Amino acid sequence: MSRQTVFYDDLKTPIGTLRLATDEVGLAHVGLPHGKHPLPMEDHWRRDKQHVAEAKRQFAAWFAGEIRDFDLPLHPQGTPFQLAVWEALCTIGYAQTASYADLARKIDRPRAVRAVGAANGANPLSIVVPCHRVIGSNGSLTGYGGGLPAKQWLLAHERRHAPIQALELTA
């Protein structure tokens, strides 16, 4: 059985060069510059700017503060548990944070905090599936596949570009 071709290209960003990879279904990987899990550059991977052009455009707009959400077809590969955690990550709003315990409760597995942490760390679609928004229960920054400086930058970037909440005037 032959493997499906994966198309990739690189994008320079304020946190370093990201490697974006897509297959015929959608975005499959976002490789962080200082990631703990480098992307597997296998023989079925091909550099192809055309296949990742829209992902690159949206990432550039996100880093410029022009968009807050991505509108891309996604194709993450994982276990059913990982997919549930990654789906829950997508419910954390822009410039918001949640703890691993919050995510465990959200997927109705309140005792699976460590497993949620492991699934968060295995997220293949960083930034799009916003694992950088997960913090410790005490509010501290916890590990990030791209390193804590990148996580700090991403959270600060979102705070800078978050919509200003309307003030409620009371009479």
Side-chain angles (χ1 to χ4, degrees):
M1 182 171 136
S2 66
R3 294 180 124 182
Q4 185 177 24
T5 301
V6 173
F7 305 99
Y8 74 94
D9 200 18
D10 297 334
L11 177 68
K12 291 187 187 316
T13 73
I15 63 168
T17 301
L18 299 180
R19 176 151 291 160
L20 306 177
T22 187
D23 57 26
E24 293 296 336
V25 176
L27 187 66
H29 299 281
V30 176
L32 296 167
H34 305 290
K36 294 178 185 177
H37 310 289
L39 291 182
M41 299 300 296
E42 298 179 36
D43 60 354
H44 65 284
W45 283 53
R46 302 283 181 262
R47 185 177 294 273
D48 186 322
K49 295 177 189 229
Q50 185 61 33
H51 275 88
V52 295
E54 181 58 18
K56 286 178 73 172
R57 185 193 70 72
Q58 288 190 36
F59 268 89
W62 189 90
F63 276 103
E66 297 167 359
I67 65 170
R68 293 183 188 93
D69 298 303
F70 292 86
D71 184 18
L72 296 167
L74 305 179
H75 194 214
Q77 298 293 302
T79 66
F81 180 82
Q82 288 173 324
L83 293 170
V85 171
W86 301 338
E87 186 176 323
L89 286 170
C90 291
T91 67
I92 305 170
Y94 187 86
Q96 302 297 312
T97 57
S99 70
Y100 296 106
D102 293 333
L103 289 172
R105 284 188 296 273
K106 185 167 216 55
I107 64 167
D108 295 324
R109 300 279 303 271
R111 298 184 63 172
V113 175
R114 286 182 187 253
V116 164
N120 191 58
N123 173 17
L125 295 173
S126 289
I127 304 171
V128 177
V129 175
C131 54
H132 62 278
R133 296 178 187 155
V134 180
I135 59 173
S137 292
N138 65 359
S140 66
L141 290 188
T142 56
Y144 182 62
L148 284 181
K151 183 173 188 162
Q152 290 171 320
W153 190 95
L154 294 167
L155 291 171
H157 170 74
E158 289 187 354
R159 284 191 301 271
R160 281 191 307 274
H161 296 285
I164 298 172
Q165 300 296 321
L167 297 175
E168 289 184 335
L169 300 176
T170 57

PDB file of all heavy atoms in Angstrom, residues 60-92:
ATOM      1  N   ALA A  60       0.302  33.825   7.865  1.00  0.00           N
ATOM      2  CA  ALA A  60       0.879  35.165   7.777  1.00  0.00           C
ATOM      3  C   ALA A  60      -0.117  36.205   8.293  1.00  0.00           C
ATOM      4  O   ALA A  60       0.253  37.124   9.035  1.00  0.00           O
ATOM      5  CB  ALA A  60       1.292  35.473   6.335  1.00  0.00           C
ATOM      6  N   ALA A  61      -1.392  36.059   7.932  1.00  0.00           N
ATOM      7  CA  ALA A  61      -2.423  36.982   8.406  1.00  0.00           C
ATOM      8  C   ALA A  61      -2.613  36.855   9.912  1.00  0.00           C
ATOM      9  O   ALA A  61      -2.811  37.859  10.611  1.00  0.00           O
ATOM     10  CB  ALA A  61      -3.743  36.722   7.667  1.00  0.00           C
ATOM     11  N   TRP A  62      -2.545  35.641  10.456  1.00  0.00           N
ATOM     12  CA  TRP A  62      -2.687  35.435  11.893  1.00  0.00           C
ATOM     13  C   TRP A  62      -1.530  36.111  12.629  1.00  0.00           C
ATOM     14  O   TRP A  62      -1.736  36.839  13.587  1.00  0.00           O
ATOM     15  CB  TRP A  62      -2.744  33.933  12.221  1.00  0.00           C
ATOM     16  CG  TRP A  62      -3.099  33.658  13.644  1.00  0.00           C
ATOM     17  CD1 TRP A  62      -4.349  33.494  14.159  1.00  0.00           C
ATOM     18  CD2 TRP A  62      -2.206  33.535  14.750  1.00  0.00           C
ATOM     19  NE1 TRP A  62      -4.277  33.266  15.518  1.00  0.00           N
ATOM     20  CE2 TRP A  62      -2.964  33.294  15.901  1.00  0.00           C
ATOM     21  CE3 TRP A  62      -0.821  33.605  14.876  1.00  0.00           C
ATOM     22  CZ2 TRP A  62      -2.405  33.113  17.161  1.00  0.00           C
ATOM     23  CZ3 TRP A  62      -0.255  33.435  16.129  1.00  0.00           C
ATOM     24  CH2 TRP A  62      -1.047  33.193  17.252  1.00  0.00           C
ATOM     25  N   PHE A  63      -0.326  35.899  12.158  1.00  0.00           N
ATOM     26  CA  PHE A  63       0.832  36.513  12.818  1.00  0.00           C
ATOM     27  C   PHE A  63       0.821  38.037  12.679  1.00  0.00           C
ATOM     28  O   PHE A  63       1.352  38.738  13.540  1.00  0.00           O
ATOM     29  CB  PHE A  63       2.144  35.927  12.285  1.00  0.00           C
ATOM     30  CG  PHE A  63       2.533  34.640  12.954  1.00  0.00           C
ATOM     31  CD1 PHE A  63       2.336  33.425  12.321  1.00  0.00           C
ATOM     32  CD2 PHE A  63       3.076  34.638  14.233  1.00  0.00           C
ATOM     33  CE1 PHE A  63       2.688  32.235  12.939  1.00  0.00           C
ATOM     34  CE2 PHE A  63       3.425  33.451  14.865  1.00  0.00           C
ATOM     35  CZ  PHE A  63       3.230  32.251  14.223  1.00  0.00           C
ATOM     36  N   ALA A  64       0.192  38.556  11.636  1.00  0.00           N
ATOM     37  CA  ALA A  64       0.075  40.006  11.462  1.00  0.00           C
ATOM     38  C   ALA A  64      -1.067  40.586  12.293  1.00  0.00           C
ATOM     39  O   ALA A  64      -1.256  41.802  12.330  1.00  0.00           O
ATOM     40  CB  ALA A  64      -0.138  40.337   9.981  1.00  0.00           C
ATOM     41  N   GLY A  65      -1.843  39.740  12.956  1.00  0.00           N
ATOM     42  CA  GLY A  65      -2.967  40.201  13.762  1.00  0.00           C
ATOM     43  C   GLY A  65      -4.197  40.533  12.940  1.00  0.00           C
ATOM     44  O   GLY A  65      -5.131  41.153  13.434  1.00  0.00           O
ATOM     45  N   GLU A  66      -4.233  40.097  11.690  1.00  0.00           N
ATOM     46  CA  GLU A  66      -5.351  40.410  10.797  1.00  0.00           C
ATOM     47  C   GLU A  66      -6.511  39.437  10.937  1.00  0.00           C
ATOM     48  O   GLU A  66      -7.641  39.783  10.609  1.00  0.00           O
ATOM     49  CB  GLU A  66      -4.853  40.418   9.346  1.00  0.00           C
ATOM     50  CG  GLU A  66      -3.811  41.505   9.095  1.00  0.00           C
ATOM     51  CD  GLU A  66      -3.079  41.324   7.779  1.00  0.00           C
ATOM     52  OE1 GLU A  66      -3.356  40.351   7.041  1.00  0.00           O
ATOM     53  OE2 GLU A  66      -2.201  42.163   7.494  1.00  0.00           O
ATOM     54  N   ILE A  67      -6.231  38.208  11.368  1.00  0.00           N
ATOM     55  CA  ILE A  67      -7.290  37.225  11.606  1.00  0.00           C
ATOM     56  C   ILE A  67      -7.056  36.588  12.974  1.00  0.00           C
ATOM     57  O   ILE A  67      -5.934  36.594  13.487  1.00  0.00           O
ATOM     58  CB  ILE A  67      -7.365  36.137  10.508  1.00  0.00           C
ATOM     59  CG1 ILE A  67      -6.092  35.264  10.499  1.00  0.00           C
ATOM     60  CG2 ILE A  67      -7.638  36.742   9.141  1.00  0.00           C
ATOM     61  CD1 ILE A  67      -6.193  34.032   9.615  1.00  0.00           C
ATOM     62  N   ARG A  68      -8.114  36.059  13.561  1.00  0.00           N
ATOM     63  CA  ARG A  68      -8.011  35.388  14.860  1.00  0.00           C
ATOM     64  C   ARG A  68      -8.274  33.896  14.757  1.00  0.00           C
ATOM     65  O   ARG A  68      -7.928  33.137  15.647  1.00  0.00           O
ATOM     66  CB  ARG A  68      -8.988  36.020  15.843  1.00  0.00           C
ATOM     67  CG  ARG A  68      -8.607  37.444  16.179  1.00  0.00           C
ATOM     68  CD  ARG A  68      -9.553  38.043  17.217  1.00  0.00           C
ATOM     69  NE  ARG A  68      -9.264  39.452  17.349  1.00  0.00           N
ATOM     70  CZ  ARG A  68      -9.881  40.406  16.672  1.00  0.00           C
ATOM     71  NH1 ARG A  68     -10.843  40.101  15.819  1.00  0.00           N
ATOM     72  NH2 ARG A  68      -9.551  41.666  16.848  1.00  0.00           N
ATOM     73  N   ASP A  69      -8.924  33.485  13.695  1.00  0.00           N
ATOM     74  CA  ASP A  69      -9.266  32.075  13.490  1.00  0.00           C
ATOM     75  C   ASP A  69      -8.809  31.636  12.109  1.00  0.00           C
ATOM     76  O   ASP A  69      -8.758  32.439  11.178  1.00  0.00           O
ATOM     77  CB  ASP A  69     -10.785  31.875  13.592  1.00  0.00           C
ATOM     78  CG  ASP A  69     -11.309  32.234  14.966  1.00  0.00           C
ATOM     79  OD1 ASP A  69     -10.832  31.656  15.954  1.00  0.00           O
ATOM     80  OD2 ASP A  69     -12.196  33.112  15.040  1.00  0.00           O
ATOM     81  N   PHE A  70      -8.527  30.371  11.991  1.00  0.00           N
ATOM     82  CA  PHE A  70      -8.140  29.793  10.715  1.00  0.00           C
ATOM     83  C   PHE A  70      -9.360  29.153  10.067  1.00  0.00           C
ATOM     84  O   PHE A  70     -10.240  28.635  10.755  1.00  0.00           O
ATOM     85  CB  PHE A  70      -7.062  28.727  10.928  1.00  0.00           C
ATOM     86  CG  PHE A  70      -5.753  29.287  11.393  1.00  0.00           C
ATOM     87  CD1 PHE A  70      -5.509  29.508  12.739  1.00  0.00           C
ATOM     88  CD2 PHE A  70      -4.765  29.614  10.483  1.00  0.00           C
ATOM     89  CE1 PHE A  70      -4.307  30.027  13.176  1.00  0.00           C
ATOM     90  CE2 PHE A  70      -3.555  30.143  10.909  1.00  0.00           C
ATOM     91  CZ  PHE A  70      -3.325  30.353  12.253  1.00  0.00           C
ATOM     92  N   ASP A  71      -9.409  29.195   8.759  1.00  0.00           N
ATOM     93  CA  ASP A  71     -10.477  28.561   8.002  1.00  0.00           C
ATOM     94  C   ASP A  71      -9.815  27.635   6.984  1.00  0.00           C
ATOM     95  O   ASP A  71      -9.716  27.959   5.800  1.00  0.00           O
ATOM     96  CB  ASP A  71     -11.339  29.623   7.318  1.00  0.00           C
ATOM     97  CG  ASP A  71     -12.525  29.022   6.588  1.00  0.00           C
ATOM     98  OD1 ASP A  71     -12.890  27.865   6.880  1.00  0.00           O
ATOM     99  OD2 ASP A  71     -13.079  29.698   5.703  1.00  0.00           O
ATOM    100  N   LEU A  72      -9.324  26.525   7.487  1.00  0.00           N
ATOM    101  CA  LEU A  72      -8.601  25.558   6.663  1.00  0.00           C
ATOM    102  C   LEU A  72      -9.180  24.164   6.888  1.00  0.00           C
ATOM    103  O   LEU A  72      -9.576  23.836   8.009  1.00  0.00           O
ATOM    104  CB  LEU A  72      -7.124  25.516   7.074  1.00  0.00           C
ATOM    105  CG  LEU A  72      -6.286  26.766   6.870  1.00  0.00           C
ATOM    106  CD1 LEU A  72      -4.962  26.648   7.615  1.00  0.00           C
ATOM    107  CD2 LEU A  72      -6.046  26.980   5.383  1.00  0.00           C
ATOM    108  N   PRO A  73      -9.184  23.336   5.858  1.00  0.00           N
ATOM    109  CA  PRO A  73      -9.514  21.935   6.112  1.00  0.00           C
ATOM    110  C   PRO A  73      -8.362  21.325   6.912  1.00  0.00           C
ATOM    111  O   PRO A  73      -7.190  21.580   6.615  1.00  0.00           O
ATOM    112  CB  PRO A  73      -9.631  21.323   4.709  1.00  0.00           C
ATOM    113  CG  PRO A  73      -8.873  22.241   3.813  1.00  0.00           C
ATOM    114  CD  PRO A  73      -8.916  23.599   4.447  1.00  0.00           C
ATOM    115  N   LEU A  74      -8.698  20.566   7.941  1.00  0.00           N
ATOM    116  CA  LEU A  74      -7.685  19.975   8.808  1.00  0.00           C
ATOM    117  C   LEU A  74      -7.722  18.456   8.699  1.00  0.00           C
ATOM    118  O   LEU A  74      -8.787  17.869   8.498  1.00  0.00           O
ATOM    119  CB  LEU A  74      -7.923  20.396  10.260  1.00  0.00           C
ATOM    120  CG  LEU A  74      -7.993  21.902  10.534  1.00  0.00           C
ATOM    121  CD1 LEU A  74      -8.268  22.160  12.008  1.00  0.00           C
ATOM    122  CD2 LEU A  74      -6.718  22.594  10.078  1.00  0.00           C
ATOM    123  N   HIS A  75      -6.549  17.843   8.858  1.00  0.00           N
ATOM    124  CA  HIS A  75      -6.466  16.388   8.800  1.00  0.00           C
ATOM    125  C   HIS A  75      -5.475  15.857   9.832  1.00  0.00           C
ATOM    126  O   HIS A  75      -4.466  15.249   9.487  1.00  0.00           O
ATOM    127  CB  HIS A  75      -6.077  15.941   7.389  1.00  0.00           C
ATOM    128  CG  HIS A  75      -6.293  14.488   7.156  1.00  0.00           C
ATOM    129  ND1 HIS A  75      -5.476  13.735   6.358  1.00  0.00           N
ATOM    130  CD2 HIS A  75      -7.242  13.628   7.616  1.00  0.00           C
ATOM    131  CE1 HIS A  75      -5.902  12.498   6.335  1.00  0.00           C
ATOM    132  NE2 HIS A  75      -6.969  12.409   7.096  1.00  0.00           N
ATOM    133  N   PRO A  76      -5.770  16.089  11.124  1.00  0.00           N
ATOM    134  CA  PRO A  76      -4.873  15.549  12.149  1.00  0.00           C
ATOM    135  C   PRO A  76      -5.051  14.039  12.273  1.00  0.00           C
ATOM    136  O   PRO A  76      -6.148  13.525  12.087  1.00  0.00           O
ATOM    137  CB  PRO A  76      -5.328  16.264  13.417  1.00  0.00           C
ATOM    138  CG  PRO A  76      -6.786  16.520  13.185  1.00  0.00           C
ATOM    139  CD  PRO A  76      -6.905  16.801  11.698  1.00  0.00           C
ATOM    140  N   GLN A  77      -3.973  13.353  12.556  1.00  0.00           N
ATOM    141  CA  GLN A  77      -4.017  11.914  12.756  1.00  0.00           C
ATOM    142  C   GLN A  77      -3.747  11.624  14.228  1.00  0.00           C
ATOM    143  O   GLN A  77      -2.725  12.063  14.767  1.00  0.00           O
ATOM    144  CB  GLN A  77      -2.956  11.222  11.888  1.00  0.00           C
ATOM    145  CG  GLN A  77      -3.165  11.441  10.403  1.00  0.00           C
ATOM    146  CD  GLN A  77      -4.423  10.766   9.904  1.00  0.00           C
ATOM    147  OE1 GLN A  77      -4.591   9.561  10.039  1.00  0.00           O
ATOM    148  NE2 GLN A  77      -5.328  11.536   9.333  1.00  0.00           N
ATOM    149  N   GLY A  78      -4.644  10.900  14.875  1.00  0.00           N
ATOM    150  CA  GLY A  78      -4.455  10.559  16.280  1.00  0.00           C
ATOM    151  C   GLY A  78      -5.479   9.543  16.739  1.00  0.00           C
ATOM    152  O   GLY A  78      -6.352   9.132  15.980  1.00  0.00           O
ATOM    153  N   THR A  79      -5.357   9.176  18.000  1.00  0.00           N
ATOM    154  CA  THR A  79      -6.310   8.239  18.591  1.00  0.00           C
ATOM    155  C   THR A  79      -7.635   8.966  18.827  1.00  0.00           C
ATOM    156  O   THR A  79      -7.683  10.198  18.838  1.00  0.00           O
ATOM    157  CB  THR A  79      -5.782   7.721  19.944  1.00  0.00           C
ATOM    158  OG1 THR A  79      -5.748   8.823  20.866  1.00  0.00           O
ATOM    159  CG2 THR A  79      -4.400   7.096  19.801  1.00  0.00           C
ATOM    160  N   PRO A  80      -8.703   8.235  19.060  1.00  0.00           N
ATOM    161  CA  PRO A  80      -9.970   8.904  19.382  1.00  0.00           C
ATOM    162  C   PRO A  80      -9.839   9.837  20.589  1.00  0.00           C
ATOM    163  O   PRO A  80     -10.414  10.924  20.599  1.00  0.00           O
ATOM    164  CB  PRO A  80     -10.937   7.746  19.640  1.00  0.00           C
ATOM    165  CG  PRO A  80     -10.407   6.629  18.788  1.00  0.00           C
ATOM    166  CD  PRO A  80      -8.904   6.773  18.874  1.00  0.00           C
ATOM    167  N   PHE A  81      -9.074   9.427  21.608  1.00  0.00           N
ATOM    168  CA  PHE A  81      -8.877  10.284  22.777  1.00  0.00           C
ATOM    169  C   PHE A  81      -8.140  11.560  22.391  1.00  0.00           C
ATOM    170  O   PHE A  81      -8.548  12.659  22.776  1.00  0.00           O
ATOM    171  CB  PHE A  81      -8.099   9.527  23.868  1.00  0.00           C
ATOM    172  CG  PHE A  81      -7.869  10.357  25.108  1.00  0.00           C
ATOM    173  CD1 PHE A  81      -8.862  10.485  26.066  1.00  0.00           C
ATOM    174  CD2 PHE A  81      -6.664  11.025  25.301  1.00  0.00           C
ATOM    175  CE1 PHE A  81      -8.662  11.253  27.203  1.00  0.00           C
ATOM    176  CE2 PHE A  81      -6.456  11.795  26.433  1.00  0.00           C
ATOM    177  CZ  PHE A  81      -7.455  11.912  27.385  1.00  0.00           C
ATOM    178  N   GLN A  82      -7.056  11.433  21.624  1.00  0.00           N
ATOM    179  CA  GLN A  82      -6.318  12.622  21.194  1.00  0.00           C
ATOM    180  C   GLN A  82      -7.210  13.552  20.384  1.00  0.00           C
ATOM    181  O   GLN A  82      -7.201  14.768  20.591  1.00  0.00           O
ATOM    182  CB  GLN A  82      -5.098  12.220  20.358  1.00  0.00           C
ATOM    183  CG  GLN A  82      -3.992  11.601  21.161  1.00  0.00           C
ATOM    184  CD  GLN A  82      -2.888  11.056  20.280  1.00  0.00           C
ATOM    185  OE1 GLN A  82      -3.129  10.530  19.185  1.00  0.00           O
ATOM    186  NE2 GLN A  82      -1.652  11.178  20.751  1.00  0.00           N
ATOM    187  N   LEU A  83      -7.972  12.991  19.461  1.00  0.00           N
ATOM    188  CA  LEU A  83      -8.860  13.816  18.645  1.00  0.00           C
ATOM    189  C   LEU A  83      -9.869  14.565  19.511  1.00  0.00           C
ATOM    190  O   LEU A  83     -10.179  15.731  19.244  1.00  0.00           O
ATOM    191  CB  LEU A  83      -9.557  12.963  17.586  1.00  0.00           C
ATOM    192  CG  LEU A  83      -8.637  12.388  16.493  1.00  0.00           C
ATOM    193  CD1 LEU A  83      -9.386  11.360  15.658  1.00  0.00           C
ATOM    194  CD2 LEU A  83      -8.065  13.489  15.615  1.00  0.00           C
ATOM    195  N   ALA A  84     -10.376  13.919  20.567  1.00  0.00           N
ATOM    196  CA  ALA A  84     -11.323  14.585  21.471  1.00  0.00           C
ATOM    197  C   ALA A  84     -10.638  15.741  22.194  1.00  0.00           C
ATOM    198  O   ALA A  84     -11.222  16.823  22.343  1.00  0.00           O
ATOM    199  CB  ALA A  84     -11.891  13.585  22.471  1.00  0.00           C
ATOM    200  N   VAL A  85      -9.407  15.529  22.649  1.00  0.00           N
ATOM    201  CA  VAL A  85      -8.668  16.602  23.322  1.00  0.00           C
ATOM    202  C   VAL A  85      -8.408  17.742  22.347  1.00  0.00           C
ATOM    203  O   VAL A  85      -8.611  18.916  22.684  1.00  0.00           O
ATOM    204  CB  VAL A  85      -7.346  16.071  23.926  1.00  0.00           C
ATOM    205  CG1 VAL A  85      -6.466  17.224  24.433  1.00  0.00           C
ATOM    206  CG2 VAL A  85      -7.636  15.082  25.054  1.00  0.00           C
ATOM    207  N   TRP A  86      -7.981  17.432  21.137  1.00  0.00           N
ATOM    208  CA  TRP A  86      -7.686  18.487  20.160  1.00  0.00           C
ATOM    209  C   TRP A  86      -8.955  19.266  19.797  1.00  0.00           C
ATOM    210  O   TRP A  86      -8.897  20.474  19.592  1.00  0.00           O
ATOM    211  CB  TRP A  86      -7.021  17.893  18.923  1.00  0.00           C
ATOM    212  CG  TRP A  86      -5.725  17.181  19.242  1.00  0.00           C
ATOM    213  CD1 TRP A  86      -4.919  17.374  20.342  1.00  0.00           C
ATOM    214  CD2 TRP A  86      -5.111  16.152  18.490  1.00  0.00           C
ATOM    215  NE1 TRP A  86      -3.841  16.532  20.289  1.00  0.00           N
ATOM    216  CE2 TRP A  86      -3.925  15.762  19.165  1.00  0.00           C
ATOM    217  CE3 TRP A  86      -5.424  15.510  17.298  1.00  0.00           C
ATOM    218  CZ2 TRP A  86      -3.070  14.781  18.695  1.00  0.00           C
ATOM    219  CZ3 TRP A  86      -4.565  14.524  16.820  1.00  0.00           C
ATOM    220  CH2 TRP A  86      -3.411  14.168  17.508  1.00  0.00           C
ATOM    221  N   GLU A  87     -10.074  18.576  19.743  1.00  0.00           N
ATOM    222  CA  GLU A  87     -11.344  19.264  19.496  1.00  0.00           C
ATOM    223  C   GLU A  87     -11.666  20.207  20.654  1.00  0.00           C
ATOM    224  O   GLU A  87     -12.111  21.340  20.449  1.00  0.00           O
ATOM    225  CB  GLU A  87     -12.463  18.242  19.295  1.00  0.00           C
ATOM    226  CG  GLU A  87     -13.778  18.855  18.892  1.00  0.00           C
ATOM    227  CD  GLU A  87     -14.836  17.799  18.614  1.00  0.00           C
ATOM    228  OE1 GLU A  87     -14.501  16.730  18.060  1.00  0.00           O
ATOM    229  OE2 GLU A  87     -16.001  18.065  18.950  1.00  0.00           O
ATOM    230  N   ALA A  88     -11.429  19.751  21.872  1.00  0.00           N
ATOM    231  CA  ALA A  88     -11.674  20.600  23.048  1.00  0.00           C
ATOM    232  C   ALA A  88     -10.743  21.812  23.050  1.00  0.00           C
ATOM    233  O   ALA A  88     -11.142  22.902  23.458  1.00  0.00           O
ATOM    234  CB  ALA A  88     -11.499  19.785  24.328  1.00  0.00           C
ATOM    235  N   LEU A  89      -9.517  21.640  22.587  1.00  0.00           N
ATOM    236  CA  LEU A  89      -8.589  22.773  22.495  1.00  0.00           C
ATOM    237  C   LEU A  89      -9.171  23.883  21.628  1.00  0.00           C
ATOM    238  O   LEU A  89      -8.983  25.067  21.903  1.00  0.00           O
ATOM    239  CB  LEU A  89      -7.238  22.336  21.903  1.00  0.00           C
ATOM    240  CG  LEU A  89      -6.321  21.525  22.795  1.00  0.00           C
ATOM    241  CD1 LEU A  89      -5.150  20.973  21.985  1.00  0.00           C
ATOM    242  CD2 LEU A  89      -5.819  22.367  23.952  1.00  0.00           C
ATOM    243  N   CYS A  90      -9.868  23.488  20.586  1.00  0.00           N
ATOM    244  CA  CYS A  90     -10.430  24.471  19.648  1.00  0.00           C
ATOM    245  C   CYS A  90     -11.550  25.297  20.265  1.00  0.00           C
ATOM    246  O   CYS A  90     -11.966  26.295  19.678  1.00  0.00           O
ATOM    247  CB  CYS A  90     -10.910  23.763  18.385  1.00  0.00           C
ATOM    248  SG  CYS A  90      -9.549  23.113  17.396  1.00  0.00           S
ATOM    249  N   THR A  91     -12.032  24.912  21.440  1.00  0.00           N
ATOM    250  CA  THR A  91     -13.087  25.693  22.098  1.00  0.00           C
ATOM    251  C   THR A  91     -12.511  26.778  23.005  1.00  0.00           C
ATOM    252  O   THR A  91     -13.268  27.590  23.533  1.00  0.00           O
ATOM    253  CB  THR A  91     -14.025  24.784  22.925  1.00  0.00           C
ATOM    254  OG1 THR A  91     -13.307  24.226  24.030  1.00  0.00           O
ATOM    255  CG2 THR A  91     -14.627  23.681  22.056  1.00  0.00           C
ATOM    256  N   ILE A  92     -11.191  26.786  23.200  1.00  0.00           N
ATOM    257  CA  ILE A  92     -10.569  27.828  24.015  1.00  0.00           C
ATOM    258  C   ILE A  92     -10.483  29.078  23.142  1.00  0.00           C
ATOM    259  O   ILE A  92      -9.855  29.058  22.084  1.00  0.00           O
ATOM    260  CB  ILE A  92      -9.160  27.433  24.498  1.00  0.00           C
ATOM    261  CG1 ILE A  92      -9.193  26.096  25.245  1.00  0.00           C
ATOM    262  CG2 ILE A  92      -8.576  28.536  25.387  1.00  0.00           C
ATOM    263  CD1 ILE A  92      -7.808  25.529  25.537  1.00  0.00           C
TER     264      ILE A  92
END
